[in-house]
Amino acid sequence: MLESFDAKRVLVVGDSILDITVSAEAIGLSLESPTLKTKRLSKKESFGGAANVVKNMLELGAKCTFITLLGDDEYKSYYDKWEHKNLTFVPIVESRQNTVKERYWVNRSGTEYKVLQINQDSPHQLSKRSESQLINMFASFVHTFDVVVLVDYSKGVLSTNLTKKLINICNDEDIMVISSSQISDSTVDYGKFKNSSLICMNKNELSSNLKHRSCKNVYELAKDLKSDLCITMGNEGSKLVTNAGEFFSRSINIQEVDPTGAGDSFLACLALSDISKSPEESLELSNIWAALSVSKRSTDVITKEEFNNYICLKNTK
């Protein structure tokens, strides 16, 4: 299946987050206040949110077109430098702040701790003019893709109205559309993703939506949302609920460094997999890719070589 990833043409629409990771070494405590004193070692910027889903897809070999909303501030320059042979980057720029997450890691006695995270967000939604521009652009070339992935971090791109319109366009063109909220919020109502080909959610969001939509079980929820469902369950693994039945795959044991971005990694691999023909293998590969990703810090992406090596080693046991 891995060979087929290179042939996949994917259109991703969603929110971008700039992740900034500052690494430092502890050198003592301030005499004036209980303040940790550190020596800065490095500072690294990487793309998170839907952009992290795209990064993972590119590493897996797919050809990606990415539509997102950017602010016209000092952080936009990082995106201006983003180039990849398989990436077509289509930013919509408005007068707003970019979403930025700064994380501070401190090394003390050989162990690293994340001691602080500072977020910058903008409350502004995509303007009506930009929304119309996105819809027209989306409708004009969506037929050229194998799969569309909508990644909602609730940062202004995927309003309920826009999401429903994009899903309807995909259905009219008979294009598979995978929808997911990646904000780790159990209160998210997945009704905005109704009529998707596949909706991905975690187990807390599943529980919340069962109550919110008055469904007794996951099968009733799938019927209510008119979509297949993928449920991620952390260390327990993941499962697919489709018209063909329920499929499950366990997670793998690996030393966790940072769980940031694991959901993005899982979604990226799943979207490139052959879910309809090989559901269990698709889940297994996605579990492995996501698990390996938590061995990295922040939203650093593992390499396809590391992925292949793990699978080869697993198959020889």
Side-chain angles (χ1 to χ4, degrees):
M1 184 184 291
L2 295 180
E3 292 76 12
S4 66
F5 288 0
D6 294 342
K8 282 279 183 143
R9 297 163 299 169
V10 189
L11 173 58
V12 179
V13 182
D15 304 288
S16 292
I17 298 172
L18 183 65
D19 288 309
I20 299 176
T21 302
V22 178
S23 297
E25 182 178 358
I27 57 175
L29 290 174
S30 172
L31 296 177
E32 296 80 11
S33 63
T35 303
L36 178 66
K37 294 195 296 184
T38 66
K39 176 184 178 181
R40 176 179 287 193
L41 301 176
S42 65
K43 179 180 178 181
K44 182 178 180 180
E45 300 82 21
S46 60
F47 301 127
N52 188 38
V53 176
V54 172
K55 280 193 314 181
N56 279 268
M57 289 178 171
L58 292 172
E59 179 59 36
L60 285 165
K63 295 176 174 62
C64 293
T65 295
F66 180 35
I67 303 176
T68 192
L69 171 64
L70 295 182
D72 191 12
D73 62 13
E74 68 270 26
Y75 295 105
K76 177 177 172 293
S77 61
Y78 293 103
Y79 294 95
D80 293 336
K81 302 171 187 175
W82 192 10
E83 293 183 351
H84 191 284
K85 65 178 182 178
N86 287 338
L87 172 65
T88 301
F89 188 34
V90 188
I92 296 173
V93 182
E94 294 189 346
S95 297
R96 53 170 275 160
Q97 288 184 318
N98 282 296
T99 301
V100 181
K101 295 184 178 181
E102 294 186 68
R103 300 177 176 92
Y104 293 80
W105 290 76
V106 174
N107 186 307
R108 184 174 182 272
S109 302
T111 302
E112 288 187 304
Y113 304 90
K114 185 166 67 172
V115 298
L116 179 66
Q117 178 170 318
I118 301 175
N119 294 351
Q120 170 182 291
D121 287 312
S122 172
H124 301 295
Q125 298 292 308
L126 193 67
S127 68
K128 294 297 181 184
R129 180 179 179 181
S130 294
E131 184 174 297
S132 177
Q133 175 190 349
L134 193 159
I135 291 171
N136 291 334
M137 178 170 49
F138 186 93
S140 70
F141 58 44
V142 68
H143 64 279
T144 64
F145 296 93
D146 299 307
V147 60
V148 170
V149 183
L150 306 180
V151 189
D152 184 20
Y153 268 87
S154 195
K155 302 299 181 184
V157 177
L158 290 169
S159 66
T160 297
N161 179 61
L162 176 60
T163 302
K164 290 181 177 180
K165 287 183 177 180
L166 297 184
I167 291 171
N168 287 339
I169 292 171
C170 290
N171 289 333
D172 288 343
E173 294 288 345
D174 197 25
I175 303 294
M176 182 178 190
V177 54
I178 300 175
S179 302
S180 178
S181 169
Q182 294 286 350
I183 61 175
S184 302
D185 185 350
S186 62
T187 65
V188 173
D189 179 10
Y190 276 74
K192 69 187 294 184
F193 299 135
K194 191 172 184 175
N195 293 310
S196 296
S197 307
L198 177 68
I199 298 175
C200 295
M201 64 180 73
N202 62 41
K203 61 180 180 180
N204 291 330
E205 291 163 341
L206 170 64
S207 178
S208 176
N209 276 269
L210 287 173
K211 294 178 183 177
H212 179 79
R213 306 190 73 82
S214 300
C215 296
K216 296 178 181 178
N217 52 53
V218 67
Y219 302 101
E220 282 193 10
L221 183 61
K223 185 176 181 180
D224 181 53
L225 293 174
K226 297 182 179 180
S227 172
D228 291 343
L229 300 180
C230 179
I231 314 300
T232 57
M233 301 174 290
N235 293 333
E236 299 173 42
S238 58
K239 68 178 177 181
L240 279 169
V241 178
T242 73
N243 289 331
E246 181 176 312
F247 306 91
F248 173 78
S249 179
R250 296 186 182 278
S251 62
I252 65 171
N253 292 321
I254 199 155
Q255 184 174 355
E256 181 180 300
V257 173
D258 185 1
T260 303
D264 299 331
S265 302
F266 179 91
L267 178 63
C269 189
L270 187 70
L272 301 184
S273 304
D274 194 341
I275 302 169
S276 59
K277 292 183 179 179
S278 305
E280 291 177 336
E281 183 183 6
S282 298
L283 287 177
E284 181 182 21
L285 292 175
S286 302
N287 285 342
I288 293 172
W289 182 261
L292 292 175
S293 76
V294 305
S295 67
K296 304 286 186 178
R297 186 189 296 167
S298 188
T299 52
D300 289 350
V301 178
I302 65 166
T303 65
K304 193 172 183 179
E305 181 180 5
E306 290 175 289
F307 188 40
N308 287 330
N309 289 341
Y310 182 91
I311 292 173
C312 289
L313 182 62
K314 176 178 177 294
N315 290 337
T316 58
K317 291 183 178 179

